[in-house]
Amino acid sequence: CRRGAQLDSAIAIVVTVVSTVVYGWLLVQLQGPEVLPVVFEVGAEEQITILFNLTQTAIPLLFAFLTVAVVHELLHGVVFQRYGYEVSYGVYWRFGAVYAAVFHQFHSREHNLRVGIAPLAIITVLCLPLLAVPQPVIATTAFFVLVLNTGGAMGDAYALWRFYQMPRGTVFYDINMDNMYVFEPA
């Protein structure tokens, strides 16, 4: 469903921009404007210079980028495991994404609703308070983690919306990353 993937990507971009503004505003309210790791200077002849502190910007962004997807998928896997499923982790190179999946096992709609929301809820609850930590590197890292996780969770949000519309008692059976059977009760 190429059109669905394009729509999902567009929504993820919009949500990423909105979450950047919202979490950025919250970060500035908690820390003050000096916490902003990037400074724009306007010079003569309207020349714009972008200055940034490597420690406050690049390192937190790199850390967030490298860890968010992995931790996000680990949280999906942990919730699946709590329900007794055998979880497979991997990289789906075709989409450049990491995954946690329960191949060749029936799994319920109800379990999938909880598995799907877990990373967004858990990471948000853990990182929001870190925006108030008076260490700029910690606060900035939390900011980047929140933005990347929120934008990255839009695929999960779409799946949750679709699963929620299905009747209670629906079960799924994943063959591989491209094929899933859906069994709805009669």
Side-chain angles (χ1 to χ4, degrees):
C1 179
R2 189 178 180 102
R3 187 170 171 213
Q6 291 171 338
L7 180 61
D8 185 45
S9 294
I11 291 169
I13 290 168
V14 170
V15 169
T16 300
V17 170
V18 170
S19 67
T20 299
V21 171
V22 171
Y23 293 134
W25 176 84
L26 186 57
L27 179 64
V28 169
Q29 296 307 305
L30 293 168
Q31 299 280 341
E34 63 278 354
V35 75
L36 289 176
V38 179
V39 177
F40 298 91
E41 288 184 353
V42 179
E45 299 178 25
E46 298 190 24
Q47 179 183 10
I48 297 175
T49 305
I50 302 173
L51 306 169
F52 68 93
N53 180 320
L54 184 64
T55 305
Q56 273 186 263
T57 307
I59 293 170
L61 180 58
L62 182 63
F63 175 82
F65 184 76
L66 293 175
T67 61
V68 165
V70 172
V71 171
H72 182 105
E73 292 306 317
L74 283 172
L75 289 169
H76 282 310
V78 165
V79 178
F80 268 133
Q81 287 174 331
R82 292 202 36 105
Y83 286 116
Y85 299 105
E86 186 176 315
V87 180
S88 297
Y89 297 95
V91 178
Y92 189 46
W93 294 108
R94 190 165 132 200
F95 289 124
V98 293
Y99 67 84
V102 290
F103 297 121
H104 307 291
Q105 301 165 73
F106 289 99
H107 44 102
S108 74
R109 167 193 175 267
E110 290 68 26
H111 290 171
N112 273 291
L113 289 172
R114 293 179 194 113
V115 167
I117 196 66
L120 181 60
I122 293 168
I123 291 172
T124 301
V125 166
L126 292 176
C127 286
L128 270 176
L130 295 178
L131 293 176
V133 172
Q135 293 293 327
V137 172
I138 293 171
T140 304
T141 302
F143 165 73
F144 287 133
V145 167
L146 285 163
V147 169
L148 292 171
N149 187 59
T150 303
M154 289 305 96
D156 293 338
Y158 176 74
L160 288 167
W161 176 71
R162 295 289 309 263
F163 296 163
Y164 189 76
Q165 293 179 329
M166 296 175 180
R168 292 184 187 273
T170 298
V171 294
F172 306 93
Y173 189 86
D174 295 327
I175 302 297
N176 54 39
M177 289 301 293
D178 294 314
N179 299 294
M180 169 198 283
Y181 292 114
V182 178
F183 300 94
E184 292 184 359

